[in-house]
Every structure is written in C-alpha cells, then in structure tokens.
Amino acid sequence: MSELDGLSRGAGKEPFFEAPQSGGLVAVDPIERHRYMLSTRERVQPKPATTEDFRFPVDTAVSVRTEAISLPSVVSVHVRDEEGAPLCEAEHFAFEELPAGRYTVELSAPIKLYLLVESPITLHATAETMRIEFGEETAVVVGARSHHDQPAATVTTTSDSEDLMRAVSTFGSALKTVSPERSFPTLRGHPPLVELGDELDLAGLEPPDSGVVIELPADRRMILIAAPLAYYLGARLVPGDEPLLRADTGFQYDLDGPLGFERTVERTLKQVFFLDCLTRTEGLSPVAVHERGALEGDLELDFAALYDRSLADQLETYLAVPFETLEAHLPKWKLTTHVEPTASSVEMLPFAVNDLAIVRCGETTNAPNPATAGVMEGDGAPIAESARRESFTRSASSGTVVQPEDTFVEPELDDSLEQMWVGEGTPVNASKAAIEAYRHHLDRTPTAGDIGITVVCNDATMDEERDFINEVYGERDELPFDITVERELTTAELKAVLSSRTDFLHYIGHVDPEGFECADGKLDATTLESVGVDAFLLNACQSYRQGMALIEHGAIGGIVTLSDVLNCEAVRIGRTLARLLNCGFPLRPALDIARDESIMGEEYLVVGDGTLSIAQAESLTANLLHIERNGDLFDLTFSAYHTSRTGMGTLVIPYLDNSEYHISTEDIQEKGLTKDELMDFFSLSDDPVKIDGKLRWSSQIGADEL
C-alpha cells in the first residue's frame, strides 16, 4: 500500500490533498509544484467537501475530523467571523483564544488555505511553529486555492492602433474587484492573451464599469506604455487628441506631464497603487502597515471615508497628493519591461501586465558583446585573460567564438528590482523574454510527484561543481526531491534527457553555438522535436543559442552564457545559483544576486520566463539579508523577492520583536539587534546573507563568527 492514502492525487491542474498514513493532510499544487503539511496527532480520513461555503475563492476542499492542526512553519493567520469580518491575526509568538463560533481561518501558506470550523479556537505560535486547537475533535473543512492563474480567453487584434486600444481595454476584465483590494496580487487575475490576426475579436470580454477611461492619440508606443495603468484601473483606452485620464465625474488628469508621457504614466500607476495599499487597511484586511504610519500625519487623508467612495473619487483625491510627498515611501517595483514598439510586442503585454510591470519604450543603445567588452583589472589587463592563465574555459572550441550576427542592446535601466527586454537582439543587464516561454508556462504539465532535478556533467574535469550541487539540491527536508546525476552522455542519451519530463536541468560541460558536446559528437538543440525540461542552467561557454532553442521547443525559462566562461568562475556561479534556486528564488533574481559573486557574472543571462522557481521559498517571499556591524550591535536590511505566490501589493514582515508589516519589499531595516536576536532570526529559515562583503547562508553562520 502507498504511504499516501485518501483522495485522488490530482490528475488535473487544481490543488489536491494527500493523507499520509503517519497522519496529517498535505495540500499539493501540481502546477506551481508547491506542497504544505497540516499535521495532526492522528491519521485523518479526508472526504470531498463543497467549495460553496467559503467566502473566498477556493479550487478544491475536503473535510477531516481532528482536535488540532499544527503547521510546520509560522505563517500569517487571519481569523474571520461568519460574516467575513476580521477578528484577529496571528504571527510569531502569538497567543489568541476565541470562544465557540463559526470561523474562517485563512493561512498564507505556500498554497493558499482556508479552514471552516464551528468550535472554539486557540492559536499558539512559537518562533518556528504554529498550532491551531479546536478544544475537541470536530469537523474541519479545508479549502485550497492555487496561486497559478490562467487567462480567461484569447483576444485577437490587428496592428491598427484603435484595434490595439480595444484589445488592451479587455485586460481589466481580469480584475476581481475595483475596490482598493485590487492592490492585493490575488485579486488581480491574469489578463487575456493577445494574438495578432486579420481582424479584431475580443472574445466577448469587456472591462469592468469603473467609470474611468484613458484617452490616447493613435500611437502604438503610448498604447503599450499605458497598458498596465489601464489594466489596474479597469479603464478603457479610447482615441483622443491628448493623453488624458478621465472619470465619469468630470475629473481629468494630464498624462503627458513635465516629465513626459512615459514617466507620468509610471508615476500615476505607482501613486494610485500605493495609496490603494494604504486605503485597503480600512477594508477586509485591517492590518497596520509601516508606510501608513509614516505618512498619515503628512497626508491628512480620511482613509475610512476614501475606502467607501467610488474609484473616480478616489483617483481625484489620490492624484491631488504631490508625488514628492510619497516618493520616499513607495514600494520598490518588481519589474520594468522594456518593449520594442512593434505590433508583435502586444502579444507579450498580458504577461508583463500580469506582473504589474512598468512598461517602457525608451531609447536603447547598441552595446558591445560582453565577451569583448574588456572588463579590466587594476593593472589594465582584461580579467578574463589574466584569470585564463590559472583556469581553463568551458568552450567546446579552441578559442572564443564571437557571435557577430547577434545585436546586443542596452535598455535604459530604472530602479525596479528586475529588468526584462521584449524585442529583437540580446539584452545587456536585462533578461531576454520569449513569448513561447510564457505560453509553455501556462500549459505547464501538472506533476504530483517529487521535484525532478537532473544534473548532467559531460566533462570529468568539472566534477567539482557536480559534487557540490548534488549535495545542495534537495537538502530541504520538507520538500521531496528526485535527483538524477548523469555523466558523459552520448548525443542519443542527452537527447533523451532533454526530451524527458523534469523540473530543472543543471548542465555542466562544453557548449558552443552548434550544440552540446557529448561523448560521441555534438547535439544541436534546434533539431529536437520537443523539450520536457521546465527550467535549466546551461553552465557552459556560449550556451545562449542552445538555451533559446530549448525555450522554442518546450522549456519555460533558463540561464545561459553569452561567451566563454572560465571554469573556476563557472563553478562559483553554479554553486551560488544552486543554493539560491534551492531556497526558492526565481531565475531572474537568483541570477541578479549570483552575478555579484563572480568577475564573469555579466556573461550570464536569463532567457524565457524569469519568474519561474524550481522550489518554493520557506516563507512567502525569497529573502536576502544584509548585515552591518554597529559596535556590539547589528543593523539588518531585509530584501524580499517576489515568487509565484506573491506580487506587487504583498505585505512583508521580518519576524523580529516589534516588527511591522511593510508594503515595500526592499531595504526594510531593523537597527540595533543584539547577537542573540540576530541568531534567533537566522534560525527561522536558511537565507542568503551579505555580511562583510561576502555572501553567506544563515544556517552556516555561528554566533562566534559575528
């Protein structure tokens, strides 16, 4: 008999539940590859339950009988009454008691979970675990919702500007509300897909009746830039002589301000979104947030009254606040998408807008091939040439093969956490988007089993990296990994590996633009019929073209190299990336952090969908810590990177005494920590830590090292 019993193991894409014979209930998301254990003292027998009794959307539900549920980690817990009104919230070191009643318990776990129960409730949390007690054995209905969100339909449009406006106007149909709660990522659905065609077909979709329109000249560039703002406001794009935001109350706002159209639209989106995050604290989630406390005295806004007013009235009030008053408190934006203003770029818009990205169509400059950019050491010699004397490269050829037909472009970067390029050419300092990758992500095959990691080392001289990463992947006890290590494969064997279903491929060896070097020749990925690998790291020289071929034939995202890389530097990058990916960092932020650890970091590039993670983070976000010594005390700067479970509008809290919720995800500071407080914080999860200029891991830092 299987060690798992109970309900179906999930043939479809919806979350499902497993009941281990040892007890408890495991919620599984087969698309996002997340799982979460609800422990019970006894073995439970889950039965299918209706989802209709939940006030919040859930995909599937089961009923179990138990007297208590224990969680493997401390997550944010909110308890609501029968009408949905919030009663209490619990975090680390919480203790809450509620009398007998009918409650909804919301768990912000790797899979969104809700408990329906009619009983007393006691919540008790330590630094590392949480327990929910019901007094005696009672029926508990457990509902699960995936963070994976599918577009409702596909819209077809021509390249005509007015048709493009009408197509982009359908994006707002994905909003689940036009209240300030749409600033929560879970209440912003995925916009419909867009395809170019011979005629306009809106698939029956219409934006919500928000009372807001955006007037624009017939200019493709303006349409692309305005798309995220139109989506967030549920606004229609309509033709007009000048770019204006108009409301049915008569309010209008100039979108072509002194800084120009692009920057004015960006500021408008950031300002409205941020003030929505403050106003929503008067709604369904009355949580005190740091930014509201810091600004409330300066703003003099009646947030309670604002919450109940129309969107048009809210906009008029919001946009009367000087941007400079808010600027220092705005959340760090997750993503800027730099877009070539071509008709085909509209097909990438739904994916950029789903991330609430800032869209820019600014100037780009041609950049030199990073392989010939001549990064210099102090003595004026190129670093690569100096280091080459002490290490070999991973090139399959005798020397560097420059790829002259590739055009390198360098978009004008801003201060978002991540940068993405949509268009022809190879970007410098940004990831390379590919529409095929995002479509593959939407069609990702559900998998109920362990996370599959395949390590291929096709050169015995590179065993150092193979041995290390074989230890790193799957070291987390709470996540099941299935790790396969392959060595010196033939072309037929590597083809079989690339065609087989696996979550992540870590390739170590030689690659050039013509293919992967194998024991009996080269395998060119462009000849593959299909690729079963979801994500990959091709830690070899000049792997860009082969990586793009993997994306074209079925992969979702990966990390590649633009030129030759020294073996010693490739080992350093490979080690760092393996640890970051294992901790739950998505591809794009993982590479951004790892780049700083190597003199050849700029040779590496994310291709495809950089939001993909191969493992779930221990908390809702993947966290990077910066530690500075302050005498006998320590200052902590906490940066949280969004994962598939989060997005713009997620609340973040560092679990320290007197910590507050933050809307921002970067540079959250806690000053004057003692050594004991810092070590207690390190014990909560294994996170990367920048200390004394070096990247360490919190689980490996002892008190005697501080």
Side-chain angles (χ1 to χ4, degrees):
M1 180 180 292
S2 168
E3 67 174 310
L4 298 173
D5 199 5
L7 301 181
S8 165
R9 290 177 60 96
K13 294 186 176 183
E14 293 183 347
F16 61 92
F17 294 94
E18 296 174 338
Q21 291 186 3
S22 57
L25 190 68
V26 181
V28 181
D29 184 337
I31 293 293
E32 293 298 332
R33 314 293 283 115
H34 294 158
R35 56 197 298 125
Y36 197 72
M37 178 74 175
L38 304 176
S39 297
T40 59
R41 289 178 180 172
E42 65 289 318
R43 185 181 176 189
V44 297
Q45 299 291 338
K47 299 178 181 179
T50 180
T51 61
E52 296 178 358
D53 293 336
F54 291 87
R55 297 185 64 87
F56 298 92
V58 298
D59 298 315
T60 188
V62 296
S63 177
V64 298
R65 293 191 65 82
T66 184
E67 63 182 21
I69 288 175
S70 296
L71 311 182
S73 60
V74 179
V75 299
S76 179
V77 174
H78 294 265
V79 182
R80 302 176 187 275
D81 66 15
E82 192 169 3
E83 302 302 318
L87 297 176
C88 70
E89 60 176 294
E91 299 280 359
H92 287 78
F93 308 109
F95 184 80
E96 299 284 347
E97 289 184 301
L98 297 171
R102 183 171 174 81
Y103 301 106
T104 297
V105 183
E106 177 183 350
L107 309 179
S108 295
I111 302 170
K112 192 71 171 183
L113 297 172
Y114 296 90
L115 313 179
L116 286 183
V117 64
E118 190 166 359
S119 75
I121 290 180
T122 300
L123 294 170
H124 177 72
T126 66
E128 299 178 356
T129 62
M130 178 174 280
R131 183 172 172 83
I132 306 170
E133 299 177 351
F134 309 114
E136 60 184 19
E137 184 178 290
T138 189
V140 182
V141 182
V142 185
R145 182 175 77 237
S146 173
H147 290 272
H148 185 75
D149 198 12
Q150 286 277 4
T154 298
V155 170
T156 304
T157 180
T158 71
S159 59
D160 176 76
S161 293
E162 291 195 15
D163 284 351
L164 290 176
M165 285 187 192
R166 294 185 64 189
V168 171
S169 296
T170 65
F171 288 4
S173 64
L175 294 177
K176 299 174 184 180
T177 179
V178 292
S179 76
E181 272 86 10
R182 72 190 181 285
S183 55
F184 283 115
T186 54
L187 294 178
R188 301 189 301 268
H190 198 301
L193 301 182
V194 177
E195 291 182 354
L196 282 176
D198 296 328
E199 59 182 19
L200 183 69
D201 181 358
L202 301 180
L205 299 177
E206 294 286 343
D209 185 15
S210 67
V212 179
V213 299
I214 296 174
E215 294 185 3
L216 294 177
D219 182 297
R220 183 182 299 143
R221 172 181 168 273
M222 286 187 168
I223 296 169
L224 296 171
I225 291 169
L229 179 62
Y231 162 74
Y232 185 73
L233 298 180
R236 294 179 185 271
L237 295 184
V238 298
D241 295 331
E242 301 292 337
L244 289 173
L245 176 64
R246 289 188 182 274
D248 55 11
T249 58
F251 170 70
Q252 68 179 42
Y253 187 77
D254 184 5
L255 291 177
D256 194 9
L259 296 177
F261 176 75
E262 188 172 82
R263 293 298 303 278
T264 302
V265 169
E266 175 185 342
R267 284 189 165 201
T268 303
L269 175 59
K270 289 182 175 181
Q271 182 160 344
V272 172
F273 170 83
F274 177 62
L275 289 172
D276 268 347
C277 289
L278 303 190
T279 304
R280 77 188 184 194
T281 60
E282 297 291 338
L284 297 175
S285 300
V287 176
V289 296
H290 168 80
E291 290 83 357
R292 176 169 171 175
L295 273 169
E296 199 155 18
D298 297 329
L299 293 177
E300 297 182 354
L301 296 178
D302 185 345
F303 287 108
L306 262 176
Y307 180 82
D308 292 321
R309 293 169 68 183
S310 69
L311 174 58
D313 288 340
Q314 288 168 351
L315 287 176
E316 185 170 359
T317 302
Y318 290 169
L319 295 174
V321 177
F323 184 80
E324 292 71 21
T325 303
L326 309 174
E327 192 168 12
H329 302 274
L330 292 175
K332 189 79 168 181
W333 219 253
K334 176 187 178 184
L335 175 65
T336 294
T337 301
H338 304 269
V339 179
E340 275 190 325
T342 61
S344 61
S345 292
V346 74
E347 295 188 343
M348 271 297 302
L349 268 187
F351 304 104
V353 165
N354 188 53
D355 262 337
L356 207 63
I358 298 300
V359 173
R360 287 194 165 183
C361 297
E363 294 294 324
T364 61
T365 58
N366 287 338
N369 185 329
T372 60
V375 180
M376 310 299 278
E377 289 185 308
D379 61 0
I383 283 178
E385 292 303 319
S386 174
R388 195 185 304 273
R389 292 192 290 268
E390 300 176 6
S391 180
F392 61 89
T393 72
R394 294 191 172 186
S395 175
S397 56
S398 58
T400 299
V401 179
V402 180
Q403 303 166 25
E405 66 270 32
D406 288 339
T407 300
F408 289 86
V409 295
E410 187 169 8
E412 183 180 352
L413 305 185
D414 64 6
D415 61 354
S416 292
L417 286 168
E418 304 170 34
Q419 311 286 326
M420 182 171 74
W421 168 250
V422 177
E424 298 297 323
T426 304
V428 176
N429 297 322
S431 63
K432 166 76 172 179
I435 187 67
E436 298 90 349
Y438 286 84
R439 290 171 177 164
H440 295 155
H441 200 167
L442 290 176
D443 296 332
R444 194 180 193 189
T445 304
T447 304
D450 298 348
I451 297 171
I453 306 287
T454 301
V455 180
V456 174
C457 183
N458 258 12
D459 188 327
T461 64
M462 301 178 187
D463 283 353
E464 179 185 1
E465 180 178 346
R466 181 205 65 194
D467 294 342
F468 177 84
I469 63 176
N470 188 35
E471 297 173 3
V472 169
Y473 290 127
E475 67 178 359
R476 295 169 55 188
D477 294 337
E478 77 277 14
L479 291 180
F481 283 80
D482 181 10
I483 302 171
T484 303
V485 179
E486 306 282 1
R487 300 171 178 83
E488 300 183 31
L489 300 181
T490 64
T491 54
E493 290 169 337
L494 182 57
K495 182 177 181 179
V497 167
L498 295 175
S499 301
S500 300
R501 175 75 177 86
T502 189
D503 292 285
F504 187 72
L505 168 71
H506 189 130
Y507 180 86
I508 307 162
H510 297 294
V511 175
D512 65 24
E514 283 69 49
F516 296 80
E517 187 173 278
C518 300
D520 60 347
K522 290 184 180 179
L523 174 65
D524 185 355
T526 63
T527 65
L528 298 174
E529 293 182 3
S530 64
V531 169
V533 174
D534 278 353
F536 54 84
L537 166 60
L538 303 186
N539 204 9
C541 292
Q542 307 175 62
S543 59
Y544 172 76
R545 287 208 184 117
Q546 294 301 305
M548 291 301 292
L550 295 181
I551 295 291
E552 181 181 348
H553 289 89
I556 298 171
I559 298 173
V560 298
T561 60
L562 297 172
S563 62
D564 283 3
V565 290
L566 299 171
N567 183 66
C568 61
E569 296 303 314
V571 170
R572 185 175 287 112
I573 287 273
R575 285 177 171 179
T576 306
L577 283 171
R579 296 214 65 154
L580 291 167
L581 294 171
N582 192 64
C583 282
F585 280 83
L587 295 174
R588 199 158 45 214
L591 181 57
D592 286 344
I593 296 169
R595 275 194 181 118
D596 292 339
E597 301 306 302
S598 170
I599 60 174
M600 305 199 80
E602 296 306 315
E603 307 298 335
Y604 287 78
L605 176 74
V606 171
V607 295
D609 183 355
T611 68
L612 187 66
S613 305
I614 66 169
Q616 67 195 49
E618 291 189 58
S619 56
L620 281 176
T621 54
N623 306 317
L624 174 65
L625 313 178
H626 294 262
I627 304 298
E628 291 188 7
R629 303 177 195 275
N630 184 3
D632 293 333
L633 301 177
F634 300 87
D635 294 340
L636 166 68
T637 301
F638 181 96
S639 295
Y641 289 80
H642 292 299
T643 65
S644 62
R645 294 178 287 157
T646 62
M648 293 301 302
T650 298
L651 292 175
V652 176
I653 182 170
Y655 291 123
L656 294 160
D657 288 346
N658 302 317
S659 292
E660 301 174 284
Y661 281 102
H662 292 254
I663 299 165
S664 179
T665 56
E666 189 181 54
D667 297 341
I668 301 171
Q669 294 187 337
E670 298 285 345
K671 295 182 178 292
L673 300 178
T674 65
K675 182 183 294 188
D676 288 344
E677 288 174 328
L678 190 58
M679 291 305 300
D680 286 344
F681 187 72
F682 283 170
S683 70
L684 297 178
S685 61
D686 189 17
D687 294 320
V689 181
K690 281 274 193 176
I691 184 168
D692 295 332
K694 297 179 180 179
L695 187 66
R696 305 281 302 279
W697 301 89
S698 58
S699 63
Q700 298 177 351
I701 299 175
D704 57 343
E705 299 177 75
L706 294 175

